[in-house]
Amino acid sequence: MNIQELRVQHRAKLKEARGLYRKITDDTPEKEARKIERDFYATLSEADDIHDQIEEAKEARSDDGDHRRPRGDDKTVDGSGNEGDARDAAFGLKPEDRVTTWAQAKQPDKHNLTLGQYLGAMVRGAKSEAEKRALAEGTDSAGGYTVPTMLSAQLIDLLRASSVAITAGARTVPLGSDNNNIAKLASDPVPAWRVENAVVAESDPTFTNVPLVPRSLAVLTKVSRELFQDTLNLDTELPRILATALAKELDRVALLGSGTAPEPEGIANMTGIGTTAHDAALTTYAPFVAARTGILSANAGPISAIIMHPRDEGTLTGLTDSTGQPLMAPKAVADIPLLTTTAIPADGGAGSDESTIFLGNFAHLMVGIRSEIRVEVLKERYADNYQYGLLAHMRADIAAQHEAAFHTITGVQG
């Protein structure tokens, strides 16, 4: 099996794992939730095995031709300018990549704990040597816990599995410091035809920096002490609840962030994106065709996803033609994955019923995340209600490598 086939299998396994994760809800019976959790981690383990096969195949691959050829990993470039190799994972993990795999390479797991077990130990106290070691390593001077790198990576992967922006294709950039920059091509070099022996015309590309400055994002959740003592699947539920809450807010700022500190700037407020002021209800697919044309005209395709509020997806699904039959989207639009999120408000505008739809090549959206996540257990603050508080804090930022890769349809009325 060649590397390309292995990559297809790897993506399929990660997609399967995300599907399993989303099956667990507040209403899922405890026995079923535990089975889904086992299947989830088993599928991720299979994905890791395939990833190892890919790395082994890349190391074993060599050129058999002219010895003067430069040696190393081959790479391919698709029509959008994206490298087909995983080389660019150094600055941006694709949706199918895992932060856990990246973290494992930096710092092998030495605790053999799940994130849920670690959070549980924080509240009830350590019951095993592994829990004691993990808690001792993570305790900080402020009385909280800096979650070990591998366990932080698990929470980030859960967050990414819940994030619509990541599913759409946004890349995750692990940030190693408070100030990070990614190079962005501001203008392309211009080739020119020449006659024999004539001087080659010079044309230099212009580069600018895309700053990624991690900003503070926190979530506080309360759990009754009785629930913590009596619930069998809380080790599964706590990480899921924290990850889902963080993912929804990260999606909101990725799409709509104001850019006013401390909030990162989202796509809707970036300079250079395309915009169509629709200011009406959806009755045809014409706005999507116009948006698609705008992105392709900027040489920023292909379009990886359309993101909208569930209300607007329902409107599109319910469109009919003059004969009362479902209105079919043009194939060029129908082939684009359609994703929904309630992180997009649907109560804006003068009539308090307007929303925004986002189209884009989301591979150009960077979600920078510091790998350290800090968690505090608030035992006294809610003691009068016999509750624990769990305060999770992470740092992240949003940036675009190519703003013209995105287009918004604004004023969409319900």
Side-chain angles (χ1 to χ4, degrees):
M1 186 175 297
N2 61 36
I3 290 179
Q4 187 60 36
E5 291 170 335
L6 287 170
R7 284 181 179 144
V8 171
Q9 281 197 359
H10 187 239
R11 286 193 293 269
K13 284 295 179 184
L14 291 174
K15 184 177 180 180
E16 180 183 347
R18 284 194 290 268
L20 287 169
Y21 173 75
R22 289 168 182 160
K23 287 182 178 180
I24 300 178
T25 67
D26 295 338
D27 300 324
T28 305
E30 183 272 333
K31 185 176 181 180
E32 182 181 347
R34 283 192 174 274
K35 181 181 183 303
I36 294 174
E37 181 186 14
R38 289 194 298 270
D39 292 344
F40 172 75
Y41 284 112
T43 305
L44 285 183
S45 178
E46 292 176 12
D48 286 343
D49 290 342
I50 296 172
H51 180 271
D52 291 342
Q53 292 179 47
I54 293 172
E55 293 303 311
E56 290 172 3
K58 286 167 59 179
E59 290 176 5
R61 183 173 58 187
S62 62
D63 297 325
D64 296 325
D66 192 333
H67 70 277
R68 293 170 296 179
R69 289 181 58 192
R71 295 186 178 268
D73 290 339
D74 293 337
K75 62 181 180 181
T76 59
V77 178
D78 62 22
S80 63
N82 296 319
E83 290 187 11
D85 204 303
R87 181 177 301 181
D88 50 3
F91 77 89
L93 302 177
K94 299 175 183 178
E96 62 267 23
D97 297 326
R98 294 179 63 205
V99 177
T100 305
T101 303
W102 172 84
Q104 180 75 32
K106 292 188 61 179
Q107 180 180 325
D109 186 12
K110 56 186 178 183
H111 301 300
N112 196 28
L113 289 178
T114 67
L115 178 62
Q117 290 171 331
Y118 182 84
L119 295 177
M122 287 175 53
V123 178
R124 67 171 183 268
K127 291 185 176 181
S128 67
E129 286 301 316
E131 291 178 350
K132 289 178 183 177
R133 288 195 301 270
L135 291 181
E137 175 186 318
T139 306
D140 62 27
S141 59
Y145 295 88
T146 299
V147 181
T149 300
M150 280 300 299
L151 300 182
S152 289
Q154 288 182 25
L155 182 56
I156 293 172
D157 277 333
L158 289 176
L159 180 157
R160 295 171 75 236
S162 301
S163 168
V164 171
I166 298 295
T167 303
R171 299 191 177 214
T172 304
V173 183
L175 303 179
S177 67
D178 291 346
N179 293 288
N180 308 268
N181 290 287
I182 295 174
K184 178 176 74 171
L185 187 65
S187 62
D188 293 315
V190 180
W193 295 100
R194 56 180 290 277
V195 297
E196 187 177 356
N197 297 321
V199 176
V200 177
E202 295 183 13
S203 176
D204 295 328
T206 302
F207 290 92
T208 60
N209 280 334
V210 179
L212 280 169
V213 180
R215 303 172 188 269
S216 177
L217 175 62
V219 61
L220 173 63
T221 185
K222 293 180 290 185
V223 181
S224 76
R225 300 189 183 198
E226 292 93 344
L227 179 66
F228 196 92
Q229 293 167 358
D230 299 338
T231 303
L232 298 176
N233 67 331
L234 204 61
D235 284 358
T236 303
E237 282 299 288
L238 274 179
R240 186 189 70 81
I241 291 169
L242 293 175
T244 300
L246 291 169
K248 184 175 179 181
E249 177 57 18
L250 205 57
D251 277 339
R252 187 191 69 80
V253 297
L255 300 173
L256 295 157
S258 67
T260 301
E263 188 171 288
E265 183 178 64
I267 293 171
N269 292 302
M270 292 178 180
T271 302
I273 69 165
T275 300
T276 298
H278 187 62
D279 299 330
L282 293 171
T283 56
T284 70
Y285 290 92
F288 299 92
V289 174
R292 176 180 177 275
T293 300
I295 293 172
L296 296 182
S297 297
N299 295 317
I303 300 171
S304 62
I306 302 171
I307 302 177
M308 63 181 66
H309 190 278
R311 180 201 69 183
D312 300 326
E313 190 271 344
T315 299
L316 283 179
T317 303
L319 292 180
T320 57
D321 60 22
S322 58
T323 66
Q325 297 299 310
L327 184 63
M328 304 303 293
K331 187 176 186 306
V333 174
D335 288 344
I336 303 172
L338 195 157
L339 307 174
T340 64
T341 176
T342 54
I344 301 173
D347 57 357
S352 298
D353 65 344
E354 295 181 1
S355 67
T356 300
I357 295 175
F358 297 80
L359 294 85
N361 181 354
F362 282 84
H364 290 291
L365 187 68
M366 301 288 133
V367 181
I369 298 179
R370 286 297 298 262
S371 58
E372 300 87 359
I373 294 178
R374 189 173 183 276
V375 178
E376 291 184 42
V377 180
L378 309 179
K379 295 185 178 180
E380 305 302 327
R381 181 172 174 180
Y382 303 104
D384 53 346
N385 292 325
Y386 210 62
Q387 294 175 322
Y388 293 120
L390 278 177
L391 176 62
H393 168 259
M394 65 179 293
R395 299 173 67 201
D397 197 15
I398 306 294
Q401 280 189 299
H402 191 12
E403 290 84 354
F406 302 98
H407 198 105
T408 59
I409 303 172
T410 61
V412 179
Q413 299 172 3

